[in-house]
Every structure is written in structure tokens, then in C-alpha cells.
Amino acid sequence: MSTNALVDRFGRRIDYLRLSVTDRCDLRCSYCMPQGFKDYEEPEDWLRFDEIVRLIALFARHGLQRVRLTGGEPLLRGRLVDLVRQIKAIPGISDLSLSTNGTHLARHAASLRAAGVDRLNVSLDTLNRERFCSITHRDALDDVLRGLRDARAAGFTRIKINMVWLAGGNNDELDAMIDFCRQQHFVLRLIETMPIGATGRASRYGSLQPHIAELRQRFHLVDGVVAGGGPARYLVDPESDFSIGFITPLSQHFCASCNRVRMTVDGTLQLCLGQEDQVAFRPLLRGGADDAELDAVLRAAIERKPERHEFNEAPGKVVRFMSMTGG
Ligand code: SAM
Ligand code: SF4
């Protein structure tokens, strides 16, 4: 580990940044963003690309290796491909990934791949058109499926499908999603709903634990590793490329191995998805702070990273919506 590394007071090394490039979205997933949402950041408050690159380069000098572009819906940010190219050129950044809802993926997949996006996560909670409409409030399932097909054709392999586990909402589709992902060689990941914002709290939570045991037995799966910087635990089939990941922040949290922080579109560093601790970088960037000052603020911020979320003990704590933080 470089002596320069960002290590918090609990000994966790922070080498992963999730960067929100917009808080806007063309979907309204019921667990994420309220339907009438309009409280967006003003464009003049969005970090510009040069500001983003300056911050990431500073981070990278302290051992940052992975960056994930997220949002809102990141493909709605203009000239995203230029940003991808610039981040990819920063020394030390070895893994650049993107989380998307897939609605605009068909149009962008090839240029994103060519610009240097290494890995893709696509959110897809259902394969049923009506249900897709009722979860996301838009009739866009076909666009997402086309996006997935084009992304594979553009050279993205091992695409991860993020399925939020909605008790009584989509959990009857587990087998259909497994079949789909096996056929298409996608990695399926099931995510427990988190009580983030009123939307997250209004969604019915279901623990994934019973399904982990059941799937392990039914498909003869074993514990395994799938490339990525995240907290998912994977079960893999030793005889094929089928694997399934579980993100279980409530039933089995993974805070002790947390390696990440998040940056919102307006340049606020969020130190924990489940807490409100944050540091605003935009005023420093626009107020003429030099690298040494930014460096000191970054180090002090990482020092303050909370030990863990309290989704179970204090589910009302996080008022911002997931789309505002960048999931
Ligand atoms: N729009 C992109 C997408 O949907 O992939 C990127 C941003 S979205 C906020 C990132 C991830 O957060 C998605 O996989 C989404 O399903 C997940 N998410 C949003 N709200 C959530 C919640 N309350 N609990 C768990 N996951 C949530
Ligand atoms: Fe948009 Fe992604 Fe939130 Fe759905 S989960 S509303 S696609 S930001």
C-alpha cells in the first residue's frame, strides 16, 4: 500500500469512487425517485469535466484505482464519452465502470466501449412489460433489452444485471431472470431495498438470506469471486459461467470492508451511503483552492468516514433520494 493511501480511522483503504454525473433521470423507479420530482441541481452547480478530472487526479495520487459513473441516469449527461476518455487517461485509474438504466444504451454502447468503459451494470428489475411500466413509470423495457444486446455486440462481456429485490413486487420473477441471465451470459445481482429517501422506505423489504441458501443448493453453486469493486457476495457454477451476486446491506452488512466514497453532481463528497456526513468540494474548487488545500480537505474527510450505516436501527435517517447521491 502506498504511504500516501487514503485510509480511514477504521483501517479501511478507500480506492473506489462512485461519481454521479447527473441527478436527472428518464425513469422514476418507485424505490428511488418520486414521480413528481423536480428538485434538481442547477446546471451551473454541476461539476465541470475539468473540475471532475482535477479531483479524480488528486484522489488517484492517493491510490484511487476504480471509478464508477452513475447518477441519476449517467447517459443523460452531455458529452459523457469525452469525460470517459479524460478519466481513463488519469494515471492510476485502472477500472472505469458505468451504472445505467439502459434506456439510452443502444445509442451509446459502442462509443462508451471505445472511449474506455471497462464494465457495465444495467438495472433491470423485471422482464414483464407491464410490470416494468409500473415499477419505472415508463414503457421502456424494449429499449433496455435492445441496449443490452448492443452493449454485448460492442464488446462488453460479463455485463451485470442489477435487480432490486421487491418483496411482493418482482420476487416471483427470480427463475425467469436466472434463465435470461444464463442464456445471455449476464451476471445477475439481487439487491435488498434500502430505506434511502421516502421512496426507499415505502418499498417492501425482503431479506435475501433464504434465497442464497436455496439457490446454492438448487443449482449446485459454490462461493466465488466475480471481478468488480463492490460488496456483492457471489455464488458461481464451477461448470459454466453462471454466477449470481447478492447485495445484502440490511440482512448482512458489509461496512467493515467498505472501500468507497461517492461524489454527487454538485461536487459534494458523501462519505457513507447510509449517513449524512459530507464535504462540499465545489466551493473550494471555484474559490481557487490549490492542490495542497484540496488534499488536506480530502484527507480530513476520509478520516471522518462513518463506521457503518444504520439502515436497520435508524431507517429514517437518509432523507435524500438514491438518484441524488448516485447509487
Ligand atoms: N440510473 C442508473 C441505474 O438505475 O442503474 C444509475 C443510478 S441508480 C440510483 C443505481 C442503482 O441504485 C440501481 O441499480 C438502482 O436499482 C439502485 N437503487 C436505487 N434506489 C434503491 C434503493 N432504495 N434500494 C436499493 N437499491 C436502489
Ligand atoms: Fe433513475 Fe436509476 Fe433511480 Fe431508476 S434507479 S429512478 S433509473 S436513477
Side-chain angles (χ1 to χ4, degrees):
M1 194 191 298
S2 107
T3 49
N4 235 355
L6 294 169
V7 180
D8 76 0
R9 63 208 149 110
F10 304 103
R12 299 173 297 191
R13 182 180 170 191
I14 309 306
D15 63 3
Y16 183 12
L17 176 69
R18 295 176 77 110
L19 175 77
S20 173
V21 293
T22 180
D23 56 350
R24 295 170 193 238
C25 190
D26 54 336
L27 301 186
R28 290 288 180 276
C29 301
S30 52
Y31 46 78
C32 179
M33 206 172 174
Q35 271 208 68
F37 188 80
K38 295 224 167 49
D39 194 13
Y40 297 115
E41 295 294 338
E42 294 300 327
E44 61 266 27
D45 291 340
W46 301 349
L47 283 196
R48 300 186 311 262
F49 288 178
D50 62 306
E51 293 170 327
I52 290 174
V53 168
R54 183 176 173 209
L55 276 179
I56 295 183
L58 190 96
F59 248 103
R61 292 201 284 277
H62 292 295
L64 183 79
Q65 295 175 5
R66 300 169 188 270
V67 176
R68 172 171 294 277
L69 303 176
T70 183
E73 174 44 42
L75 298 188
L76 298 185
R77 178 81 188 246
R79 299 190 302 111
L80 187 69
V81 166
D82 291 346
L83 180 64
V84 166
R85 255 187 236 109
Q86 291 177 47
I87 294 176
K88 222 18 207 195
I90 296 172
I93 302 301
S94 56
D95 182 52
L96 179 57
S97 55
L98 175 86
S99 286
T100 174
N101 63 26
T103 56
H104 294 277
L105 191 53
R107 196 150 44 92
H108 294 293
S111 52
L112 289 168
R113 182 75 188 137
V117 173
D118 297 298
R119 298 182 300 110
L120 215 51
N121 287 8
V122 179
S123 293
L124 182 61
D125 299 329
T126 175
L127 295 167
N128 176 296
R129 184 174 164 195
E130 275 171 32
R131 193 176 264 180
F132 187 98
C133 293
S134 97
I135 294 175
T136 70
H137 300 100
R138 215 186 120 195
D139 185 6
L141 177 61
D142 286 347
D143 297 334
V144 179
L145 296 178
R146 199 172 317 115
L148 281 167
R149 209 178 45 224
D150 290 1
R152 227 178 32 187
F156 286 105
T157 54
R158 307 296 281 152
I159 296 171
K160 290 177 180 152
I161 302 292
N162 283 344
M163 177 185 184
V164 174
W165 189 248
L166 301 167
N170 66 354
N171 53 358
D172 57 342
E173 275 190 74
L174 178 58
D175 286 7
M177 282 297 258
I178 288 176
D179 285 349
F180 172 73
C181 290
R182 287 184 97 153
Q183 280 162 16
Q184 307 288 326
H185 305 280
F186 297 144
V187 176
L188 177 61
R189 304 190 330 151
L190 308 177
I191 304 175
E192 287 179 350
T193 315
M194 291 176 259
I196 295 184
T199 43
R201 281 189 284 283
S203 295
R204 258 183 64 206
Y205 164 77
S207 167
L208 284 169
Q209 296 305 326
H211 305 283
I212 301 178
E214 191 270 324
L215 290 169
R216 180 193 290 276
Q217 210 177 29
R218 178 151 57 112
F219 292 101
H220 309 291
L221 304 175
V222 297
D223 293 327
V225 177
V226 172
R233 297 188 175 88
Y234 287 96
L235 291 177
V236 302
D237 179 351
E239 298 187 352
S240 75
D241 68 359
F242 174 60
S243 41
I244 181 164
F246 304 89
I247 300 178
T248 56
L250 282 92
S251 66
Q252 189 180 9
H253 76 76
F254 34 75
C255 301
S257 58
C258 185
N259 60 348
R260 73 211 33 215
V261 287
R262 292 173 168 81
M263 181 72 74
T264 61
V265 67
D266 70 340
T268 305
L269 191 72
Q270 298 281 356
L271 296 164
C272 172
L273 187 57
Q275 302 284 0
E276 298 286 2
D277 305 66
Q278 57 189 40
V279 176
F281 274 86
R282 193 188 69 234
L284 302 170
L285 288 163
R286 297 195 182 164
D290 63 19
D291 282 1
E293 288 168 72
L294 292 177
D295 223 71
V297 174
L298 178 60
R299 283 193 167 282
I302 298 298
E303 264 294 301
R304 283 179 37 210
K305 184 172 162 62
E307 183 174 16
R308 47 170 301 212
H309 67 67
E310 293 162 293
F311 289 147
N312 289 307
E313 303 86 331
K317 206 158 189 178
V318 181
V319 292
R320 61 183 187 266
F321 302 110
M322 188 73 126
S323 58
M324 300 162 94
T325 310

